[in-house]
């Protein structure tokens, strides 16, 4: 226990805090930008239906019937709180607000919650539990009293380099990061496509990739090497948190982790979680950071450790323990039993009591990352046509079906590639609701566009179909835009519905 609580330098923790705050700012700014499509009552999601299908999501700041300006106000507040985290002004209360905002947002928009949301709200909680804010803050710069900005920075840095904090919560945080790498890496070993070397090629051909049309059969050998490298390296990243300072292996793993996360940011539409995982690496490299010119001078004495927070430290240890137990239970129930197409990605969350307990306090974690590629590797292309008696005119598909990550998650329900527990009737209700709301969104932007037909061209991305030559057309809907309203007809229901 003495080793667990041994003091650590505060500066690397606050480097992580500053980087994390910056990522959170852009995450919540994007949530604000997309509020019209996903949070507003007239957006793409029927939140009354969602709340009825998933009652636990009602544990949120947001409730059906709220006005759209409330959601925007919360996101604006989160952007402000992120700035407070960056500048070190009461960062832990700011983190508490960010956690509440992040949890409420992903529960409100549960149909489009994904990896970024999972990691973001986890980091918000860790900012609340970690002893951050003792260095790298504006108040210390002002208190330094130097005549110039450079002088204030030098004076403050000299003080910051001597500050230490109790190490219990930071070490618990590192255990959580190691758990993410371990579980995600080991689950991939259960995937035939990961073991066979085609998983990355399939992932980069999916709509979640930034440039799915770029990757062709000529990249197969390179992507096979990348796939096997990721399969080997990801569980090895755990050693970053265990190896001694200045170990050659530790530096090599850091370089590999940077390439790993930067490569995902560059190629897939999941930037925030990977940026946060990079920010977290400042903590295991605390000794190297302090030895790299930030340590106190020979004549300076290290300040006494800042006071700890027993409640926060106990919560940090409990959180890691519960996440570890949850992961073991999840593996025991699901190992090698990944659901097939049309089946929910995860079974009833309440069947895992630890996961249910974590949900009650706002934590929703899985760490099963991309092991689903075998069953979920769909490539979908949309064809949208404007119909008339004289001609058929192609319409830009993104005008009806945008291609941001959250939009793509909604569109997965069009082809029953579901990620949540639903029965057949519930899936049908969600599918119809989403298609109708997409049509209404289009009609508001194109009030008198006439009759529109939408078709999805769907195919699986398998090792023998990497060139995507087996597309199957699936009619989605026809609708008529008149006066800014959409009258929708589905293939299995010839009647018009408002």
């Amino acid at each position: 226990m003495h080793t667990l609580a041994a003091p650590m330098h505060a500066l690397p923790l606050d480097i992580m805090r500053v980087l994390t705050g910056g990522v959170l700012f852009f995450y919540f700014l994007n949530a604000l930008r997309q509020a019209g499509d996903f949070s507003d009552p007239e957006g793409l999601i029927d939140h009354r239906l969602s709340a009825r299908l998933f009652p636990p999501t009602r544990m949120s700041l947001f409730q059906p019937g709220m006005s759209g300006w409330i959601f925007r106000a919360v996101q604006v507040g989160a952007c402000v709180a992120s700035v407070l985290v960056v500048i070190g002004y009461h960062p832990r209360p700011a983190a508490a607000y960010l956690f509440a905002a992040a949890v409420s947002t992903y529960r409100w928009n549960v149909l489009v919650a994904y990896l970024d949301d999972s990691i973001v709200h986890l980091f918000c909680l860790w900012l609340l539990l970690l002893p951050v804010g003792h260095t790298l803050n504006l108040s210390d710069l002002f208190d330094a009293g130097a005549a110039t900005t450079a002088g204030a920075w030098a004076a403050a840095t000299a003080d910051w380099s001597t500050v230490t904090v109790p190490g219990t919560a930071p070490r618990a945080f590192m255990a959580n990061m190691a758990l993410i790498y371990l579980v995600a890496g080991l689950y991939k070993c259960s995937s035939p496509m990961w073991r066979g070397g085609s998983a990355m090629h399939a992932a980069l051909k999916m709509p979640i990739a930034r440039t799915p049309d770029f990757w062709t059969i000529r990249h197969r050998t390179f992507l096979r090497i990348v796939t096997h490298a990721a399969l080997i390296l990801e569980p090895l990243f755990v050693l970053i948190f265990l190896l001694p300072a200045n170990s050659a292996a530790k530096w090599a793993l850091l370089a590999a982790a940077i390439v790993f996360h930067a490569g995902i940011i560059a190629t897939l539409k999941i930037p925030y979680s990977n940026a946060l995982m990079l920010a977290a690496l400042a903590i295991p490299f605390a000794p190297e950071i302090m030895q790299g010119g930030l340590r106190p001078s020979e004549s300076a004495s290290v300040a006494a450790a800042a006071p700890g927070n027993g409640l926060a430290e106990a919560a940090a240890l409990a959180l890691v323990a519960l996440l570890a137990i949850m992961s073991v239970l999840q593996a025991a129930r699901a190992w090698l039993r990944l659901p097939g197409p049309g089946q929910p990605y995860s079974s009833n969350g309440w069947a895992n009591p630890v996961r249910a307990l974590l949900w009650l306090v706002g934590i929703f974690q899985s760490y099963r990352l991309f092991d689903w590629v075998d069953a979920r590797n769909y490539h979908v292309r949309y064809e949208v046509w404007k119909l008339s008696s004289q001609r058929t005119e192609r319409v830009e598909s993104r005008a009806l079906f945008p291609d941001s990550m959250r939009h793509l998650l909604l569109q997965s329900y069009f082809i029953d590639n579901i990620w949540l527990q639903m029965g057949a009737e519930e899936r049908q209700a969600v599918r119809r609701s989403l298609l109708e709301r997409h049509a209404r969104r289009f009609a508001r932007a194109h009030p008198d566009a006439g009759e529109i037909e939408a078709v999805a061209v769907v195919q699986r991305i398998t090792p023998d179909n990497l060139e995507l030559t087996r597309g199957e057309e699936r009619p989605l809907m026809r609708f008529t835009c008149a006066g800014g309203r959409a009258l929708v007809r589905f293939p299995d229901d010839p009647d018009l519905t408002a």
Side-chain angles (χ1 to χ4, degrees):
M1 184 60 68
H2 173 72
T3 302
L4 180 65
M8 296 179 62
H9 280 283
L11 193 54
L13 280 172
D14 284 311
I15 291 174
M16 187 278 290
R17 183 208 83 221
V18 171
L19 295 174
T20 297
V23 175
L24 294 178
F25 174 82
F26 288 105
Y27 170 85
F28 285 106
L29 185 65
N30 188 57
L32 174 63
R33 183 178 65 84
Q34 294 185 329
D37 274 355
F38 301 111
S39 295
D40 282 5
E42 297 304 316
L44 297 175
I45 300 174
D46 183 346
H47 292 97
R48 294 184 185 276
L49 174 62
S50 177
R52 188 167 68 249
L53 295 178
F54 310 107
T57 62
R58 296 293 295 266
M59 293 182 284
S60 167
L61 296 175
F62 305 142
Q63 299 297 323
M66 285 185 171
S67 174
W69 69 265
I70 296 177
F71 308 107
R72 289 172 170 79
V74 169
Q75 306 304 335
V76 169
C79 291
V80 173
S82 300
V83 173
L84 296 181
V85 168
V86 171
I87 66 176
Y89 185 77
H90 298 297
R92 295 173 85 171
Y97 176 87
L98 290 170
F99 178 67
V103 169
S104 296
T105 300
Y106 85 71
R107 288 182 174 178
W108 180 245
N109 294 325
V110 66
L111 292 180
V112 292
Y114 68 112
L115 175 61
D116 279 351
D117 306 295
S118 174
I119 298 299
V120 160
H121 81 266
L122 180 67
F123 270 69
C124 291
L125 179 59
W126 276 114
L127 284 176
L128 176 60
L129 299 178
L130 290 169
V132 295
H134 297 286
T135 68
L136 291 182
N137 53 66
L138 288 183
S139 61
D140 284 353
L141 285 176
F142 294 143
D143 293 342
T148 65
T149 302
W153 178 260
T157 301
D159 291 335
W160 292 337
S161 64
T162 67
V163 178
T164 60
V165 294
T168 301
R171 291 185 176 92
F173 173 77
M174 288 193 287
N176 191 176
M177 297 301 103
L179 183 67
I180 292 175
Y181 286 122
L182 180 65
V183 174
L186 292 181
Y187 263 112
K188 288 182 177 65
C189 295
S190 69
S191 161
M193 293 188 74
W194 277 98
R195 297 196 305 268
S198 60
M200 282 304 302
H201 202 146
L204 292 174
K205 295 297 292 183
M206 293 171 67
I208 62 172
R210 296 190 184 277
T211 55
D213 295 333
F214 172 79
W215 305 99
T216 65
I217 200 68
R218 71 177 185 273
H219 300 108
R220 180 170 54 183
T221 301
F222 168 73
L223 293 176
R224 185 179 298 273
I225 295 171
V226 171
T227 299
H228 285 132
L231 188 65
I232 294 169
L233 285 171
E234 191 167 13
L236 290 180
F237 291 154
V238 173
L239 297 177
I240 291 175
F241 305 91
L242 302 174
L243 290 171
N246 292 314
S247 163
K250 186 178 180 181
W251 283 110
L253 287 170
L254 173 65
I258 292 173
V259 172
F260 177 84
H261 289 294
I264 295 175
I265 292 171
T267 58
L268 300 175
K269 298 173 183 177
I270 44 177
Y272 304 106
S273 55
N274 286 279
L276 289 172
M277 294 299 291
L278 285 173
L281 295 176
I283 299 182
F285 278 86
E288 290 84 353
I289 291 172
M290 299 310 299
Q291 293 167 12
L294 296 176
R295 63 184 183 276
S297 65
E298 299 261 343
S299 59
S301 60
V302 175
N309 184 321
L311 181 60
E313 292 169 354
L317 293 174
L319 173 61
V320 171
L322 289 171
L323 288 170
I325 295 170
M326 179 206 73
S327 298
V328 171
L329 292 176
Q330 185 183 49
R333 295 178 63 86
W335 189 259
L336 295 178
R337 290 187 296 171
L338 190 68
Q343 299 298 316
Y345 173 57
S346 55
S347 61
N348 186 355
W350 303 99
N352 186 330
V354 179
R355 194 177 189 190
L357 175 62
L358 289 168
W359 174 276
L360 291 174
V361 297
I363 299 297
F364 181 60
Q365 302 289 287
S366 173
Y367 304 156
R368 294 183 63 171
L369 309 178
F370 281 94
D371 65 310
W372 44 258
V373 69
D374 301 81
R376 308 286 169 174
N377 55 6
Y378 285 93
H379 180 275
V380 182
R381 174 174 56 83
Y382 296 104
E383 294 182 355
V384 182
W385 304 92
K386 180 178 180 180
L387 308 178
S388 67
S389 57
Q390 290 81 22
R391 61 189 180 122
T392 300
E393 177 184 343
R394 185 183 289 271
V395 177
E396 172 59 52
S397 62
R398 282 179 294 184
L400 179 58
F401 302 123
D403 59 359
S404 79
M405 186 65 179
R406 296 198 194 280
H407 288 101
L408 292 171
L409 287 169
L410 279 187
Q411 293 159 25
S412 68
Y413 292 89
F414 298 167
I415 58 172
D416 279 341
N417 188 20
I418 62 173
W419 297 84
L420 297 169
Q421 185 81 29
M422 290 188 226
E425 292 184 2
E426 294 168 334
R427 293 201 305 270
Q428 179 77 339
V430 170
R431 182 175 181 272
R432 285 190 170 225
S433 170
L434 291 174
L435 285 169
E436 285 183 357
R437 285 173 174 258
H438 277 80
R440 292 172 187 170
R441 178 184 182 275
F442 183 89
R444 288 194 293 269
H446 308 82
D448 297 300
E451 188 170 5
I452 303 294
E453 181 182 44
V455 175
V457 181
V458 184
Q459 56 190 308
R460 300 295 304 281
I461 311 167
T462 56
D464 60 346
N465 188 36
L466 295 176
E467 294 185 292
L468 303 178
T469 58
R470 303 175 188 169
E472 171 192 346
E473 288 193 1
R474 299 187 188 180
L476 296 177
M477 62 178 169
R478 284 190 181 186
F479 61 96
T480 303
C481 299
R485 301 186 63 183
L487 300 175
V488 185
R489 179 187 294 118
F490 297 106
D492 57 348
D493 184 0
D495 295 330
L496 288 178
T497 59

